[in-house]
Amino acid sequence: MTISLRNRRAGAAATATALALASLAALAGTATPASASGRARASGPATAATVSAPASAAALKPASPAASTPPASGDPAAPSPFTLPRPTGPYATGRDTLFLTDHERTDPWVPAAGARQLLVSLHYPARPGSDGDPAPYMPEAEARLMLAQRGLDAPEWPGLVAATRTFSRTDARPAPGRFPLVLLSPGFGTPRATLTGLAEELASRGYVVATADHPYESTGTELPDGRVLTCAACDEVDAQPDEAARRKVLAAVSAGRAADFSFLLDRLTGPRPVWRHAGAIDARRVGMAGHSIGGNAAASTMAADPRVDAGVNMDGTFFDPAPARGLGGRPFLMLGTDPGHAPGAGDTSWDEGWARLDGFKRWLTVRDSGHFTFTDTPAIGEQLGIVDPDAPLSAVRSTTITRAYVTAFFDRSLRGRPARLLDGPSPAHPEVLFQRH
């Protein structure tokens, strides 16, 4: 893999970025995710990384004007020049945050911590012109740990990433009506914030979206009291003696997330909902999507909870296999990298999972994509000046494709709307390959 940098740094920073992208590449397909300490294990032979960087700062070409003119390091008042892609739907979007405790379950990774807890971002359709401050992207402590795990340790970058502009407002008044609910689960070792762009898009198109952080399964989760939880589950994976044992732990991660989301559904749609705008949720229409192991968790949750009507796996290995009996005829979308998640490619769990899905289903792969194509990573990475020639799909195309196909799938599955985009190849999206449908 050749790494090119298009920002103002060379030398040590270029080397760090090359190592970071090599680590990210190891997460694709059947690779085991990197631990919180920055190590990564892959099921196949390691890929050598080389660095292609100009010899002088004058030769560096910024990925964007924003990336070339950051605020002065250490100035907390300076706004980040980074921004997420603007949502395209007709609604404004609001965001709330919930901190929930499941007193019936002990945390599976750190039992001494006591009851299982969840941090949840709720994006929802809002009235235009609502008051409220712009919703923050992520705490700086989370950004620092996420970047450090990937070898990106430039001192000003955590502040820039944390301050990325979003398009949701806190305290926004919800739009009138009741809307389908979509649950989102991030990749292993990855904060929930990295799915913000997709959450905002879905909310702008008339969905309530609940994105959960699963404590001790991310590089960093900052609790309301300021404590930051790191990835004990990653360390548990690293401690295993072989690949089979690691896969068993990762299967437990996916199954545990299913329990998290069943609890969350109880608290959002039960007789005494905890969210102040719970009346905006139509509990008869619930979908779930996830990235990486979060995609596996979508299938695990559907298998465990009949309230979830449809699911999307974005480039995640099925460590916890889909049930042999299927998912009760409920629809499922598999959206992944090409060729890594094409039929007969490295991740055979997709071939096995496809055979077990028993409802409407689609298996799509995206040319020139990478494991993190379906998250905010391409948009923020380009603004940091990071380019990965092994995943050359631009941030604009990554965002457009992910939004288009995930939204079309939920429109069809939860709203009964026509979704011609799922019928076959589209001239508007030549990168998307229909593998089986």
Side-chain angles (χ1 to χ4, degrees):
M1 175 172 67
T2 301
I3 307 300
S4 297
L5 296 183
R6 296 188 307 200
N7 70 10
R8 63 196 180 283
R9 287 183 178 78
T15 302
T17 305
L19 294 174
L21 290 172
S23 177
L24 297 185
L27 289 167
T30 57
T32 300
S35 74
S37 63
R39 296 187 302 273
R41 287 195 180 100
S43 59
T47 302
T50 61
V51 178
S52 175
S56 68
L60 295 171
K61 180 181 179 182
S64 70
S68 64
T69 56
S73 176
D75 180 2
S80 173
F82 298 171
T83 183
L84 295 179
R86 183 180 293 274
T88 65
Y91 291 98
T93 59
R95 198 196 77 184
D96 278 346
T97 302
L98 297 179
F99 181 49
L100 305 176
T101 301
D102 184 353
H103 294 286
E104 296 185 2
R105 299 169 59 218
T106 299
D107 189 275
W109 309 115
V110 183
R116 181 68 162 170
Q117 296 177 315
L118 294 179
L119 266 171
V120 181
S121 294
L122 282 153
H123 290 85
Y124 56 93
R127 297 175 186 266
S130 291
D131 295 331
D133 296 325
Y137 184 62
M138 70 164 64
E140 187 168 340
E142 291 186 9
R144 181 177 297 106
L145 288 165
M146 180 182 72
L147 291 168
Q149 190 269 344
R150 289 152 172 79
L152 301 171
D153 56 1
E156 70 269 33
W157 282 10
L160 292 171
V161 172
T164 296
R165 181 191 175 191
T166 71
F167 290 90
S168 299
R169 291 191 172 269
T170 60
D171 297 321
R173 294 177 299 157
R178 302 181 72 205
F179 303 96
L181 172 64
V182 173
L183 310 172
L184 291 183
S185 187
F188 190 53
T190 306
R192 73 187 189 281
T194 56
L195 294 177
T196 298
L198 178 58
E200 289 191 329
E201 175 69 11
L202 288 168
S204 80
R205 290 182 171 273
Y207 293 88
V208 174
V209 185
T211 312
D213 254 336
H214 309 271
Y216 301 109
E217 297 176 18
S218 171
T219 49
T221 302
E222 183 174 295
L223 302 184
D225 63 7
R227 287 181 297 142
V228 179
L229 310 181
T230 54
C231 195
C234 299
D235 296 334
E236 182 69 17
V237 172
D238 277 353
Q240 301 309 304
D242 53 38
E243 181 68 13
R246 290 190 287 272
R247 293 177 72 91
K248 185 175 180 180
V249 175
L250 290 166
V253 171
S254 185
R257 291 189 178 194
D260 289 343
F261 280 108
S262 287
F263 164 70
L264 178 57
L265 277 174
D266 291 342
R267 304 305 288 140
L268 290 178
T269 65
R272 290 182 293 178
V274 296
W275 184 38
R276 58 178 175 165
H277 301 314
I281 295 174
D282 183 351
R284 300 167 301 174
R285 298 181 291 171
V286 179
M288 181 170 170
H291 170 245
S292 195
I293 206 164
N296 187 183
S300 296
T301 304
M302 291 179 69
D305 196 324
R307 292 176 292 180
V308 181
D309 302 302
V312 180
N313 180 351
M314 297 183 291
D315 212 52
T317 294
F318 289 95
F319 294 106
D320 182 30
R325 66 182 183 280
L327 294 174
R330 287 169 289 173
F332 202 88
L333 169 65
M334 295 171 14
L335 177 64
T337 53
D338 190 87
H341 275 118
D347 189 352
T348 58
S349 76
W350 276 42
D351 300 86
E352 297 161 2
W354 175 262
R356 294 182 172 192
L357 297 175
D358 58 341
F360 173 88
K361 56 185 179 179
R362 291 292 184 267
W363 182 342
L364 310 181
T365 58
V366 183
R367 279 193 295 249
D368 296 331
S369 62
H371 186 55
F372 289 88
T373 285
F374 313 101
T375 72
D376 298 340
T377 298
I380 293 176
E382 281 191 4
Q383 292 172 89
L384 284 172
I386 299 173
V387 178
D388 179 5
D390 284 352
L393 192 68
S394 70
V396 169
R397 292 303 299 156
S398 297
T399 298
T400 299
I401 289 168
T402 303
R403 287 176 167 183
Y405 285 89
V406 172
T407 302
F409 175 78
F410 284 130
D411 280 351
R412 181 193 185 281
S413 302
L414 302 181
R415 288 177 153 151
R417 295 178 178 176
R420 295 177 181 174
L421 199 59
L422 300 176
D423 291 342
S426 166
H429 305 293
E431 307 95 335
V432 179
L433 307 177
F434 279 66
Q435 300 294 353
R436 292 175 181 171
H437 65 286

